């Protein structure tokens, strides 16, 4: 059974949620790539918090997170339970 996805323009509230999702995903990505400890920055960042050897790179991460944020919105608009 197909569900119709609205083609109406996004509301300001939806755009705000997408932006927050995207920023949070980017923050988590940076933490996974660069930080060894203190991911919530509960104390000032110190050199020992940074990984000595980076695994991965920033590269396409913001673009992929942007796509995932919009896909999550489309899924929510269609009433789908999965976002990925």
């Amino acid at each position: 059974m197909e569900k119709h996805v609205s083609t109406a323009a996004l509301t300001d509230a939806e755009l705000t949620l997408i932006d927050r999702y995207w920023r949070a995903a980017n923050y988590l990505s940076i933490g996974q790539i660069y930080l060894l400890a203190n991911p919530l920055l509960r104390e000032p960042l110190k050199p020992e918090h940074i990984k000595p050897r980076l695994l991965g790179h920033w590269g396409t991460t913001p673009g992929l997170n942007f796509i995932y944020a919009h896909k999550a919105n489309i899924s929510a608009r269609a009433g789908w339970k999965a976002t990925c």
Side-chain angles (χ1 to χ4, degrees):
M1 178 173 154
E2 286 188 35
K3 290 189 177 184
H4 175 72
V5 178
S6 173
T7 57
L10 296 174
T11 65
D12 287 342
E14 287 174 316
L15 287 173
T16 297
L17 287 174
I18 290 171
D19 183 61
R20 287 179 181 174
Y21 182 110
W22 183 57
R23 288 172 182 269
N26 286 339
Y27 180 86
L28 292 172
S29 298
I30 286 292
Q32 289 175 332
I33 293 170
Y34 293 100
L35 295 180
L36 183 61
N38 191 24
L40 299 178
L41 301 177
R42 292 192 171 151
E43 61 180 275
L45 195 59
K46 299 175 185 170
E48 57 266 21
H49 295 151
I50 300 170
K51 292 179 181 177
R53 181 172 178 262
L54 301 179
L55 299 174
H57 61 89
W58 183 237
T60 60
T61 301
L64 291 171
N65 287 339
F66 183 81
I67 291 168
Y68 293 142
H70 282 278
K71 184 178 180 317
N73 179 275
I74 291 168
S75 296
R77 283 179 154 214
W80 300 332
K81 296 188 190 256
T83 58
C84 294

